[in-house]
Amino acid sequence: MAPVMDSLNTTNEAALKQLGEENIRPAQVEAVNESNNINDEKEVSAFSESTVSLIQKRTGGWRYASLLLVNQGLATLAFFGVGVNLVLFLTRVLDQENAEAANNVSKWTGTVYMCSLIGAFLSDSYWGRYLTCAIFQIIFVVGLLLLSVSSFFLIKPNGCGDGDLPCMPVSSVCIAIFYFSIYLIAFGYGGHQPTIATFGADQFDEKNPIERNSKAAFFCYFYFALNVGSLFSNTILVYYEDTGKWTLGFLVSLGSAIMALLSFVIGTHRYRYIKPCGNPLPRVAQVFVAAAKKWNIVPSNPDRLYEVAGPDSAIKGSRKILHSNDFEFLDKAATITEKDAGGRNDPWKLCTITQVEEAKCVLKMLPIWLCTIIYSVVFTQMASLFVEQGDAMNSNVGDFHLPAASMSAFDICSVLICTGIYRQILVPVAGKLSGNPKGLSELQRMGIGLIIGMLAMVAAGTTELQRLKHVIPGDKESSLSIFWQIPQYVLVGASEVFMYVGQLEFFNGQAPDGIKSFGSSLCMASISLGNYVSSMLVNMVMGITAKGNKPGWIPDDLNTGHMDRFYFLLAVLTAFDFVIYLFCAKWYTCINLEGTEKEIIEMEEQQADDDVLRRV
């Protein structure tokens, strides 16, 4: 037994050295045991489980996932300190018209979330989650620093941009630095977002029943933290910026971003790490190329398709995926021919089942993802047209002037309240009725989010109709109270809880191990394309409705337009999108990872045995 114990001690020391490098799975420990040729399998298995248990107790879990939630809240506070009032900065300080400013904000917000794809790619392929988060947060801080400096030179005279005192024209150099800084912010925050969400999910082990439930709850709390952070931006910061103290607001955002970076670094030595799985683009391309080369052959039966032996897949760090019947033409890439049997395996000619299924997963998720873009068009109106609509309403509460952008606080409060209602009431009730411990499936929640989003646009259009009825002749503002906007903000907030939290869970859960961050980035990319589509719709509507002497639906003077028709148009498009979504959701089949159900059952049985022993 002495050699055995020496071997075990060596394994223990090696495993503990990797605490700050990667999350060790039971399968990896078993592989080490097999390589050491240990005969006493029961003793080795018991030691392996204790080693993994020790590692998991000292790393990850809620303790360190909470640091990432704090990071998310502070980073979001910093981001929305810039984004929520950007449309008014463009109109008041840079003297842009309403439609132009709304389009610029949509393009900027679209760029923010499009950069999420870059962050996800670098995270999954080369840098890993931790390094990607750290680098993009540093870029985010630099962008906020440049914005704070450039705004100091743009606000001339001091206090301008409050809606009354106009700002003086500034040099093109200052404007160029301003645009460079906000797009640097977009790049940093966008690249950070999907990676921090996936990195937080990495802190929980799916094979542990308790941690599996915690992982599902993490996405709810992640979105909760996002909205807590933005609540401060949408109330306190908005007020200071609305009164012309733009530089002060941007400096607060800078300080919040620095604190977010520090909170992230604190947990460095106790996070659970998943190593990157390599560039997924060649892997997916190899599947299509190999299938194209074998276009004339008939795919083999699933049990005769090519797969590497052993528990691990050919994709580094990724679990094996079982065969599915979707997109069967891609099975040709895993069909073994006489040429393949005789020579060295070339992935451009012969792919494993797991590699083929990874490509299938991407194809299956795309229709669902495309159906979420119209919802993002609805969501993006809060940062543009909702603000412009509120700015043309009576926002005085006694002697206090309520900034139009601060109305999004009702959206945030709606998210916070609905998250609590969903987690504490709806999930238990729906779970008992449906038998699903999650209450409602991710696809069901996303569908509900689409319906509520459609109702939000109907509410916004109704408010605009009422606003136009109370227009004061010769005045920019309507006498209608800005609090008429509350229903549309509340409905958008309720829809977010179902749509965006559902998206985060769905795309992260359905993405293979090798492209987890890519799965999370699809949610951000949906918001990105939603902003671009919103900008395109505004341009199309103005191009059609503003012909001749007509002001169009969204003119600079909203009192002469019909923004209500634009809102109702979005409601109709959302209803049409919901019908398509129903067909896509019904067609979708979930990913099936090898051994997942068996491992979960074994873990649950082990946990039950442990509970019995504790009672004894």
Side-chain angles (χ1 to χ4, degrees):
M1 287 298 294
V4 172
M5 293 309 298
D6 290 340
S7 176
L8 292 176
N9 290 332
T10 302
T11 304
N12 186 23
E13 292 174 1
L16 292 177
K17 285 181 181 178
Q18 296 182 19
L19 283 173
E21 297 178 3
E22 65 174 323
N23 179 25
I24 299 180
R25 297 175 180 172
Q28 292 173 304
V29 178
E30 290 171 7
V32 173
N33 291 340
E34 289 175 3
S35 66
N36 290 330
N37 296 317
I38 298 175
N39 297 322
D40 194 346
E41 295 181 359
K42 292 184 179 179
E43 184 174 356
V44 171
S45 177
F47 173 80
S48 301
E49 292 175 2
S50 64
T51 301
V52 173
S53 177
L54 174 63
I55 292 172
Q56 291 182 339
K57 286 181 180 178
R58 295 184 59 182
T59 62
W62 276 116
R63 179 183 299 177
Y64 297 100
S66 297
L67 287 176
L68 302 179
L69 294 178
V70 172
N71 172 270
Q72 171 69 0
L74 291 170
T76 303
L77 188 158
F79 172 73
F80 280 100
V82 176
V84 76
N85 235 5
L86 185 59
V87 68
L88 295 184
F89 188 91
L90 295 177
T91 55
R92 294 179 181 178
V93 179
L94 299 186
D95 197 30
Q96 295 182 3
E97 294 184 351
N98 282 334
E100 180 186 6
N103 277 339
N104 283 333
V105 170
S106 293
K107 292 173 184 176
W108 177 77
T109 310
T111 302
V112 171
Y113 296 110
M114 188 59 74
C115 290
S116 66
L117 294 174
I118 299 175
F121 173 77
L122 293 172
S123 170
D124 286 335
S125 304
Y126 303 111
W127 292 353
R129 325 259 206 255
Y130 176 84
L131 184 59
T132 304
C133 285
I135 291 175
F136 277 97
Q137 283 188 84
I138 292 172
I139 295 172
F140 183 48
V141 169
V142 172
L144 284 167
L145 177 62
L146 282 176
L147 176 64
S148 301
V149 173
S150 65
S151 66
F152 177 78
F153 295 98
L154 291 172
I155 309 298
K156 298 295 181 183
N158 188 34
C160 73
D162 60 354
D164 297 320
L165 181 62
C167 292
M168 297 173 57
V170 294
S171 67
S172 58
V173 175
C174 288
I175 295 176
I177 294 175
F178 165 77
Y179 275 108
F180 176 73
S181 66
I182 63 172
Y183 276 93
L184 204 60
I185 291 169
F187 184 61
Y189 184 78
H192 162 260
Q193 276 301 284
T195 312
I196 197 71
T198 309
F199 190 50
D202 288 344
Q203 307 311 307
F204 304 99
D205 185 1
E206 286 185 347
K207 292 185 283 295
N208 185 312
I210 297 177
E211 292 198 13
R212 187 172 74 252
N213 293 332
S214 297
K215 182 177 180 179
F218 173 80
F219 290 108
C220 259
Y221 294 126
F222 181 82
Y223 204 74
F224 185 92
L226 183 152
N227 282 275
V228 168
S230 62
L231 181 61
F232 182 86
S233 302
N234 285 266
T235 52
I236 309 299
L237 282 187
V238 162
Y239 173 75
Y240 280 101
E241 292 171 357
D242 192 65
T243 56
K245 299 177 182 177
W246 295 95
T247 302
L248 176 62
F250 295 151
L251 285 173
V252 172
S253 292
L254 173 62
S256 180
I258 293 173
M259 288 191 293
L261 180 58
L262 292 176
S263 70
F264 176 77
V265 173
I266 287 174
T268 298
H269 297 294
R270 287 293 179 264
Y271 291 134
R272 291 180 188 172
Y273 295 89
I274 303 296
K275 288 187 176 182
C277 297
N279 190 345
L281 296 180
R283 293 201 304 267
V284 174
Q286 286 166 355
V287 173
F288 287 95
V289 170
K293 289 180 178 179
K294 301 175 181 179
W295 189 255
N296 294 325
I297 71 170
V298 177
S300 299
N301 294 327
D303 56 347
R304 300 187 64 183
L305 295 175
Y306 173 66
E307 182 59 276
V308 295
D312 298 325
S313 73
I315 302 173
K316 180 181 63 176
S318 179
R319 289 169 290 179
K320 286 183 177 180
I321 308 174
L322 297 178
H323 177 266
S324 68
N325 294 324
D326 302 300
F327 303 107
E328 290 185 346
F329 69 92
L330 291 179
D331 290 344
K332 297 177 181 182
T335 299
I336 303 174
T337 63
E338 293 182 0
K339 294 181 179 179
D340 297 324
R344 187 177 64 86
N345 292 335
D346 182 354
W348 292 97
K349 297 179 181 179
L350 180 64
C351 305
T352 64
I353 294 176
T354 297
Q355 189 175 350
V356 171
E357 291 301 318
E358 184 182 56
K360 288 183 180 181
C361 285
V362 174
L363 291 179
K364 287 191 294 184
M365 288 191 295
L366 284 179
I368 302 293
W369 174 69
L370 289 172
C371 289
T372 66
I373 294 174
I374 288 296
Y375 173 81
S376 294
V377 175
V378 170
F379 175 76
T380 194
Q381 303 313 311
M382 282 199 306
S384 53
L385 294 186
F386 279 19
V387 178
E388 292 180 1
Q389 182 187 40
D391 200 41
M393 299 176 74
N394 180 14
S395 58
N396 294 321
V397 182
D399 295 331
F400 178 75
H401 175 71
L402 186 69
S406 67
M407 289 296 292
S408 56
F410 289 100
D411 162 74
I412 298 167
C413 291
S414 175
V415 170
L416 300 182
I417 293 171
C418 290
T419 299
I421 292 174
Y422 177 78
R423 291 294 309 171
Q424 302 302 323
I425 299 176
L426 187 57
V427 168
V429 172
K432 291 180 180 179
L433 295 176
S434 65
N436 184 351
K438 293 183 179 180
L440 298 173
S441 71
E442 293 88 349
L443 291 173
Q444 288 172 333
R445 278 182 277 161
M446 290 159 66
I448 293 172
L450 275 173
I451 294 174
I452 301 176
M454 177 188 67
L455 296 177
M457 288 298 97
V458 173
T462 303
T463 298
E464 181 63 13
L465 283 174
Q466 293 299 317
R467 190 193 70 81
L468 291 173
K469 290 179 181 178
H470 292 79
V471 168
I472 303 172
D475 198 341
K476 178 184 177 181
E477 293 183 355
S478 168
S479 61
L480 188 69
S481 172
I482 195 173
F483 292 111
W484 272 72
Q485 285 191 310
I486 291 177
Q488 64 202 60
Y489 277 106
V490 169
L491 285 170
V492 170
S495 69
E496 289 177 58
V497 174
F498 289 95
M499 174 56 79
Y500 283 139
V501 176
Q503 274 194 70
L504 279 172
E505 286 190 43
F506 175 77
F507 290 124
N508 185 274
Q510 294 301 307
D513 293 334
I515 52 173
K516 283 290 184 186
S517 292
F518 169 76
S520 296
S521 72
L522 285 178
C523 178
M524 315 300 172
S526 169
I527 301 176
S528 173
L529 285 182
N531 279 271
Y532 289 128
V533 172
S534 176
S535 178
M536 180 189 70
L537 283 174
V538 169
N539 288 331
M540 289 176 59
V541 165
M542 288 300 293
I544 295 172
T545 63
K547 293 181 178 178
N549 295 325
K550 296 180 180 179
W553 287 2
I554 315 173
D556 190 42
D557 182 4
L558 295 180
N559 294 337
T560 62
H562 280 286
M563 194 159 59
D564 56 297
R565 296 176 184 174
F566 183 75
Y567 287 139
F568 291 137
L569 173 64
L570 291 183
V572 172
L573 291 176
T574 307
F576 181 70
D577 180 61
F578 175 73
V579 174
I580 299 175
Y581 173 80
L582 287 178
F583 287 101
C584 293
K586 187 176 181 181
W587 164 80
Y588 185 82
T589 55
C590 296
I591 187 174
N592 190 7
L593 295 168
E594 184 175 86
T596 301
E597 294 183 2
K598 180 181 178 182
E599 290 172 349
I600 290 173
I601 292 172
E602 290 177 351
M603 185 69 75
E604 289 176 341
E605 291 175 349
Q606 181 63 44
Q607 185 181 3
D609 293 339
D610 293 342
D611 291 340
V612 171
L613 290 174
R614 289 192 193 99
R615 290 171 190 155
V616 173

